[in-house]
Amino acid sequence: MKNQIKTFLRYREFIKELVIKGVKLKYRRSYLGVVWSLIEPLLTMIVLTVVFGTLLGNTDRTYPVFILCGRLLFSMFSTGTNSAMRSISSNAAMLKKVYVPKYMFPLSSVLFNYVIFLLSLIVLIPVSIVLKVYPTWNLLLALLPLLNILLLTLGVGLILSTYAVFFRDLEYLWSVLLTLIMYISAIFYQPTKLLESKYAAILQYNPLFCIIDNFRSAVFSSEFNWGNMFYSLGFNVVILAIGLYVFRRNQDKFILHI
Amino acid sequence: MNNDVAVKVSDLSIKFNLSSEKIDSIKEFVIKTLKGEIKYDEFWALQNINFEINRGDRLGILGLNGSGKSTLLKVIADVYKPTEGKVYKKGKVVPLIELGAGFDPQYTGRENIFLYGSVMGMKRSFLTEKYDEIVEFSELERFIDVPLKNYSSGMRARLGFSIATVIKPEILILDEILSVGDAKFRKKCEGRIADLIETGVTILFVSHSIDQVMNICNKAMILDKGKMVAFGPADKVAKYYNERIVA
């Protein structure tokens, strides 16, 4: 344990460089650069609002903010896990030639996507102002779901990055699963109806929904569901522990498969 | 143990599983496991390697292609885990197994200096301080803000060598890297290695050029099909290599 902390400190510069690299390269050679992390969720929000709001007759004024919250958190989860999953094979050249702690790659992938995600949260400010959703002190509670989403993405990312080394098909399978997860996380529909039906468990036991729900409560200053918060925190810690365990157990075999 | 020992390898063996077909899809894995069709050909890349070198020793590793030279270096550099046996080393190891492993092609030369440096565990402040020296040695001043993908392989190797040798390593691992670049740069590299030798660095050196080994090394070993067949003073081992293995 002491040794691991020492190695981590020795390589903290490296992880910093990897995170900077991820952020820098994501938008390199595009004209608008990092502004895209604001425009993109904004555009998706408009599309979803038109489709689910106007066409399906959802007239709630604050609906775009509702969508935006869900969409931002979900895309953190999906881009973070995807990029962690590919991190080992895309850094194969380096892993074959020099020693670096291998968990640096999934960790930095999740972290740089998290940085971009935090930046993209800025877009909530103008949208909320325009739609007259004013924050109260409750907004501070948003820090909890923001921590939770990081833990969840990291845990799932570690598991995926381990098994994607041995089974390349995981990449395709995961993109299908992500679609499923998107539909069961109440991103563009109101969860109330589903929560009252017999399928409520789908949402209640879905840690990503719990996170999104907590975040929305903080933004809209509605009642904060502590049950959801603690459930997802517990879930995420367990997933992260599993992720660390499987990664550690298999990391020495990576080199033979990449 | 002797205080001066820099690298000690004891009973080291490395086994690879050469599966006849690589299985990397879940479907294949399930089907083949059910049918009991997964077979591995065991292949011992290194067997029972034992040696010890002291601080300041320069060990040349000779052998034909596929004899396990690079595998040995990679075990010492922690890239591979030993299947059996132990590797003990003392001091900061800098592996130059391939120059510029850790470069990003989309990054410019300047950005890659900081990236590659951090792979080697260098601090940013240290790299900023040494930045001019690195660029000057690589002679890439004009191209330093060009993305690396536009570099030639020689330019890439020059940048890699300049970064990796700016830190004063205690153990330097060189895998045939002195054979890259043009004659002029090669000479410059050899000069820098000579400087490092004077500071008392321990070197593990793989090369197919016996002259280079004789120039740089004081000790040498011969690997043949994963086994160590000779170990001793460089001139004697090189002579043996010329007479018995190459001929």
Side-chain angles (χ1 to χ4, degrees), chain A residues 10-11 13-14 17 21 24-25 28 94-99 166-169 252 255-257, chain B residues 16 22 24-26 29 74 77-81 92 98 101-102 104 106-107 111 118-119 124:
Chain A
R10 191 164 115 77
Y11 283 96
E13 205 83 15
F14 176 56
E17 285 292 333
K21 183 177 98 159
K24 265 185 168 175
L25 289 185
R28 180 158 290 186
M94 194 191 295
L95 283 169
K96 283 182 190 165
K97 305 288 159 41
V98 279
Y99 170 78
F166 306 111
F167 304 108
R168 290 287 147 83
D169 355 18
D252 290 337
I255 188 83
L256 306 170
H257 290 263
Chain B
F16 289 134
K22 200 170 175 184
D24 50 10
S25 84
I26 298 171
F29 180 76
K74 284 184 180 177
D78 276 332
V79 175
Y80 291 133
K81 272 257 160 83
K92 192 180 180 67
E98 187 178 293
D104 191 291
Q106 293 189 67
Y107 252 24
E111 289 167 318
S118 72
V119 174
R124 205 179 171 92

Side-chain angles (χ1 to χ4, degrees), chain A residues 2-18:
Chain A
K2 211 174 142 195
N3 260 331
Q4 269 156 13
I5 293 171
K6 247 168 103 184
T7 336
F8 180 80
L9 289 179
R10 191 164 115 77
Y11 283 96
R12 68 177 185 279
E13 205 83 15
F14 176 56
I15 198 138
K16 215 168 80 193
E17 285 292 333
L18 283 182

Side-chain angles (χ1 to χ4, degrees), chain A residues 230-241:
Chain A
F230 285 115
Y231 166 73
S232 92
L233 182 63
F235 186 97
N236 301 337
V237 169
V238 171
I239 279 285
L240 184 57

Side-chain angles (χ1 to χ4, degrees), chain A residues 105-138:
Chain A
F105 297 107
L107 177 62
S108 67
S109 304
V110 171
L111 285 180
F112 91 72
N113 279 297
Y114 194 63
V115 172
I116 293 174
F117 160 69
L118 292 180
L119 276 174
S120 67
L121 286 179
I122 297 173
V123 78
L124 269 172
I125 300 171
V127 175
S128 300
I129 292 174
V130 169
L131 297 172
K132 304 199 177 68
V133 179
Y134 298 121
T136 61
W137 285 110
N138 272 10

Side-chain angles (χ1 to χ4, degrees), chain A residues 169, chain B residues 21-33 38:
Chain A
D169 355 18
Chain B
E21 313 146 66
K22 200 170 175 184
I23 298 155
D24 50 10
S25 84
I26 298 171
K27 192 183 90 190
E28 255 181 89
F29 180 76
V30 171
I31 293 173
K32 298 219 162 158
T33 311
I38 298 188

Side-chain angles (χ1 to χ4, degrees), chain B residues 139-150:
Chain B
E139 299 171 21
L140 288 168
E141 288 91 347
R142 271 193 61 200
F143 307 101
I144 206 69
D145 286 314
V146 173
L148 207 82
K149 58 185 175 195
N150 299 337

